[in-house]
Amino acid sequence: MPTRVYEFAWPDRVVVGTIGLPGARTFYLQVREGTQIVSIALEKQQSALLAEKIDEILEQLITVEGNPFSVPTSTPIELVDNDQLEAVQEQFRTGAMSLGWDPTTAQVVVEAYPITDVDAEGNDESLDEDGANESEMLLVRMPVGTARAFAKRTREIVGAGRPMCSICGYPMDADGHICTLPEV
């Protein structure tokens, strides 16, 4: 089964952004290198976990004696990216993701794979028009500064959703909110 790999070794831009209003947002991981742009849809929780785990990797690397990878402790100001997403054409909706560290290039490595539909017998039903199986994946390598900026922006994007009700703890909509109190 051939796999189409969208690979970015030194991306010009890698961000998480959203389309839609809080409460109905779609999250995208968007990567650009030159004229190639790839956008994949993520769940909000996937975005938050990705940022958290990238920060964990960077914090662990800082503790390595002498910090040989020059991991910044905060986001380098020149790498802050608050721009909107570029034109979005969704390549796929993310299912599984993996995160790692490549010490040979001093980069954080993110791999994302699409959700696959598997029928009851365990056969993959993602057939193309010729009847052949084809899968996709996104492979992104980020230098440590870019990874730090990516994690910061992602946390901000995730946190920019609907405010939480101080009484019941559920999200509040702009047009009103009725508390659902827990039973005692």
Side-chain angles (χ1 to χ4, degrees):
M1 168 168 65
T3 299
R4 181 170 183 180
V5 179
Y6 304 102
E7 185 172 358
F8 296 87
W10 293 94
D12 299 322
R13 183 175 198 225
V14 54
V15 295
V16 166
T18 62
I19 294 178
L21 297 173
R25 299 184 295 171
T26 301
F27 286 74
Y28 290 96
L29 169 57
Q30 187 173 77
V31 189
R32 177 177 44 81
E33 189 173 313
T35 59
Q36 181 186 16
I37 298 176
V38 172
S39 303
I40 61 170
L42 301 166
E43 293 297 324
K44 179 179 181 178
Q45 294 81 2
Q46 287 174 306
S47 303
L49 189 58
L50 182 59
E52 177 185 328
K53 295 302 181 185
I54 285 174
D55 274 340
E56 284 180 16
I57 286 174
L58 296 175
E59 292 306 314
Q60 287 176 357
L61 290 169
I62 286 174
T63 65
V64 173
E65 190 174 327
N67 190 3
F69 305 110
S70 300
V71 178
T73 56
S74 62
T75 303
I77 192 72
E78 66 275 9
L79 297 178
V80 171
D81 182 343
N82 292 321
D83 293 340
Q84 297 292 320
L85 292 174
E86 298 177 46
V88 173
Q89 275 193 301
E90 183 179 313
Q91 300 306 130
F92 59 83
R93 178 160 289 282
T94 305
M97 296 183 81
S98 69
L99 184 63
W101 170 252
D102 183 348
T104 62
T105 60
Q107 291 177 305
V108 173
V109 181
V110 178
E111 294 179 358
Y113 302 89
I115 294 174
T116 56
D117 295 327
V118 178
D119 66 20
E121 290 104 38
N123 297 321
D124 188 353
E125 294 181 352
S126 58
L127 301 177
D128 66 16
E129 55 201 39
D130 297 329
N133 286 327
E134 184 175 338
S135 62
E136 300 173 288
M137 75 169 286
L138 174 66
L139 173 61
V140 182
R141 297 173 173 277
M142 290 183 264
V144 291
T146 302
R148 183 68 82 188
F150 174 88
K152 178 181 186 299
R153 175 191 166 114
T154 301
R155 284 191 313 277
E156 290 170 355
I157 293 289
V158 168
R162 297 176 289 172
M164 301 305 261
C165 176
S166 61
I167 298 169
C168 69
Y170 286 100
M172 298 186 301
D173 292 320
D175 58 347
H177 173 72
I178 299 174
C179 287
T180 306
L181 296 175
E183 294 182 27
V184 262

